[in-house]
Amino acid sequence: MPKTPERHVSVTPETWQALHACVESGEFATTEEALEDAVRLWQRRRMKEMREADSIGRRLRTSMEDTRPSLSEKEADKEMRHFIESRKNAIRHGPH
């Protein structure tokens, strides 16, 4: 494995204890491995959050660009009651 430049970071005593405990338990061979794993998880979480934000943005743009007329409050309420009733019936009668 190529040698990487040495970096120094400061962590809280609690974080250090958690890292040290992971190494002592054998979960990781070194604190560096534990930190690298934590950074990978953080990167994955950030990528997931960015994908979700992009998806929300696309749905918002689609909604804003929709030229169909909006429903009145009364029409929306009627549609929602119909949807809820159909879901109740589907649950009550099960799959056919």
Side-chain angles (χ1 to χ4, degrees), residues 45-63:
R45 187 186 78 221
R46 285 186 45 115
M47 291 300 294
K48 180 182 178 205
E49 290 170 354
M50 288 190 317
R51 285 191 304 271
E52 289 171 354
D54 286 345
S55 175
I56 291 168
R58 282 191 303 277
R59 285 183 278 157
L60 282 172
R61 280 188 297 283
T62 300
S63 178

